[in-house]
Amino acid sequence: METRKVYLDNSATASVAEEVLSAMLPYFRESMGNPNSLHSWGRDARRAVDEARESVSALIGASPNEIVFTGGGSVSDNLAIKGAVWSAKEEKKHIITSAVEHHAVLDTFKWLGKRGCDVTFLPVDEYGMTSPESLASAIRSDTLLASVMYANNEVGTINPIAKLGGICREKGVLFHTDAVQAAGHIPIDVKELPVDMMTMSAHKMYGPKGIGALYIRKGIKLTPLVHGGGQEFGLYSGTENVPSIVGMGAAARIALKLHEAGEARRVAELRDMLLDGITARIPDSFVTGHRTERLPYHASVCVKRVEGEGMLLRMDFAGIGVSSGSACTSGSLEPSHVLLAMGLDHATAHGSVRLTLSIDTVRDDIEYVLEKFPPIVETLRKMSPYKG
Ligand SMILES: *Cc1c(COP(=O)(O)O)cnc(C)c1O
């Protein structure tokens, strides 16, 4: 088999879809107006922002004035959590999250924990799932907010969001969910779902980077992170990033079409082919995360007695883009907080590899990976310091 280029790191970021790019382009030059200007250029830009807000709200069953455009998923997470804490009455300062959140949530909670909030980090099960029971037992009379991710970015596990949100609603606790990995990939309807705030990011659903949205249920008050001209209902000041907002709107419309076309089923079939193929061909490898309550495009495995980085680099050399859970940050080789919270030991957690598919992934790509991956592991194991 000849060499190909196979990008399987779509949970880190995905390519902008062709239609997204063509929708964005006019807003850099011809229709470059500031939506706050009263002339025709401004009105054109305002119309484009309004249309994008309609599209993003339609994707999740919200109404357009419940959607705030922000600078991305991290900004939306910060706005939801800090915004809720800062606008709360003094007495309510207990906040809850899970141990496996993205750092945009986790580090926001840790920061608030040093500034007067009492923080509970919920444990997860062996799949990285947060149980409704553990959330229910953590809620106190002074609990203000709980934030539990819709689906985990490292292991793909989908949480029981309806139940988690239902518990919060019953007890009068605000519920936020980081749906960056889920939105646009699995159907979400906030009319049915008891969530108060939900984070989305365009670049994880074939839109551009640096643009996201926060769904804020009508009636919920937040304090903004950024003050200024009062754009985005006063919650995210600054001249609107019109091309990117338009791009996110286009991505939302594409996502709805993909749902209808059964894209989730197509990609889940390839995902299972990958997971089954890897675990069958590589001895001492296993799937991380839940097998069925799982994002359709998300595959993740641990390979024992091999370093994730070693696999990543050799896969890259073979033309395959993946990520390893054991990203080496600032010189210290700390394994993923997600895998450790799931109960894996350090050595095993270091052997994690994530392969995330997209609309562009085809069967030949999966076959190529299944051909290249096992011999890479074999070579690395021969060199490995681990005795097993
Ligand atoms: C990527 C990601 C984010 C951050 O989104 P950005 O738009 O890159 O800031 C937050 N949460 C999850 C679960 C993610 O996967």
Side-chain angles (χ1 to χ4, degrees), residues 2 134 136 169 181 238 265 299 361 375 379:
E2 58 190 280
S134 79
R169 178 149 302 172
Q181 294 289 339
R265 228 171 306 123
T361 310
T379 309

Side-chain angles (χ1 to χ4, degrees), residues 103-185:
H103 283 289
V105 169
L106 208 53
D107 292 4
T108 301
F109 270 77
K110 286 181 185 164
W111 185 84
L112 287 167
K114 291 193 197 128
R115 280 166 182 78
C117 283
D118 202 359
V119 183
T120 300
F121 295 97
L122 299 174
V124 293
D125 67 11
E126 70 262 46
Y127 306 113
M129 199 179 276
T130 300
S131 83
E133 294 74 31
S134 79
L135 174 62
S137 62
I139 291 176
R140 319 188 306 216
S141 59
D142 63 340
T143 306
L144 169 74
L145 164 85
S147 178
V148 179
M149 69 204 313
Y150 206 112
N152 186 273
N153 47 304
E154 286 188 34
V155 297
T157 299
I158 300 172
N159 273 311
I161 292 300
K163 285 193 185 135
L164 296 166
I167 288 165
C168 288
R169 178 149 302 172
E170 202 176 285
K171 306 216 172 165
V173 171
L174 284 172
F175 185 67
H176 165 254
T177 186
D178 176 340
V180 169
Q181 294 289 339
H185 296 282

